Amino acid sequence: MSVENEHRLRFRDAMASLSAAVNIITTDGPAGRCGMTATAVCSVTDTPPTLMVCINRNSAMNPVFQENGNLCINILNHEQELMARHFAGMTGVSMEDRFKWNIWNTGVLGQPQLQETLANLEGRIEQVQEVGTHYVYLVEIKQIIVQEKGHGLIYFKRGFHPVMDENMAITA
């Protein structure tokens, strides 16, 4: 194994130790409708509200996101792991079928918003940069919906895990 390849694998192992919120990124528009599970989402600034979303350049969804120009970051709650698996392509459910379920709203920019998430952040793609193997999207947020209650879902050590808010009781 080359030193470069070993370094890349060690980096991936280190990043597996970096807990990250689980999100489903969705888009709809002239190029079609699609969505994907992503953990590489980060706040950039609150004025104007802007998020960074990183997507592998090999993803077939990049042309759809870029042509549509808008997207929605749906921050999942601890009960939405199955949705994360669907949108990560782990279950064999087609993209078309994922959007047939009666669990979607449409935001002000026409983007699919998953119901019962912790938050939906709908915005316009303002910049796309190529960095290594990924595209880095800078998204200015135009609509923000936040739920007051809910527990989080993170990806850690290559698995999904709930994050419980000690101030809220779990309802069965």
Side-chain angles (χ1 to χ4, degrees):
M1 178 181 306
S2 71
V3 172
E4 182 179 301
N5 197 35
E6 182 178 332
H7 191 64
R8 181 179 60 83
L9 293 175
R10 288 180 54 81
F11 181 77
R12 285 183 171 194
D13 286 343
M15 291 301 95
S17 296
L18 180 63
S19 302
V22 181
N23 310 277
I24 294 177
I25 313 301
T26 56
T27 189
D28 196 0
R33 181 171 42 195
C34 70
M36 63 181 291
T37 300
T39 56
V41 175
C42 178
S43 170
V44 175
T45 181
D46 65 357
T47 309
T50 304
L51 290 174
M52 175 181 70
V53 178
C54 301
I55 301 174
N56 191 297
R57 287 192 338 210
N58 292 329
S59 172
M61 292 180 218
N62 281 305
V64 181
F65 283 115
Q66 291 175 22
E67 185 177 334
N68 287 348
N70 296 314
L71 56 77
C72 185
I73 297 101
N74 299 279
I75 303 173
L76 303 187
N77 74 48
H78 75 291
E79 295 178 328
Q80 294 176 312
E81 178 181 337
L82 183 57
M83 288 302 293
R85 290 181 179 283
H86 290 320
F87 278 87
M90 301 167 80
T91 63
V93 175
S94 73
M95 188 66 68
E96 184 179 337
D97 286 344
R98 296 173 200 172
F99 286 102
K100 284 183 180 176
W101 299 317
N102 189 27
I103 55 173
W104 298 98
N105 294 328
T106 302
V108 296
L109 298 177
Q111 302 309 295
Q113 295 178 337
L114 183 60
Q115 296 172 10
E116 299 182 15
T117 59
L118 296 177
N120 308 97
L121 299 120
E122 186 181 21
R124 174 102 190 119
I125 299 169
E126 296 297 332
Q127 288 184 42
V128 181
Q129 300 287 324
E130 288 185 36
V131 178
T133 58
H134 282 64
Y135 285 116
V136 177
Y137 292 80
L138 294 180
V139 182
E140 186 174 335
I141 303 304
K142 303 297 185 183
Q143 181 181 33
I144 302 167
I145 299 170
V146 179
Q147 300 302 319
E148 294 301 316
K149 295 183 180 180
H151 302 286
L153 180 65
I154 63 166
Y155 197 72
F156 174 69
K157 295 287 187 182
R158 296 181 174 91
F160 296 100
H161 304 276
V163 176
M164 299 301 161
D165 182 348
E166 293 177 0
N167 297 318
M168 291 187 336
I170 296 176
T171 57

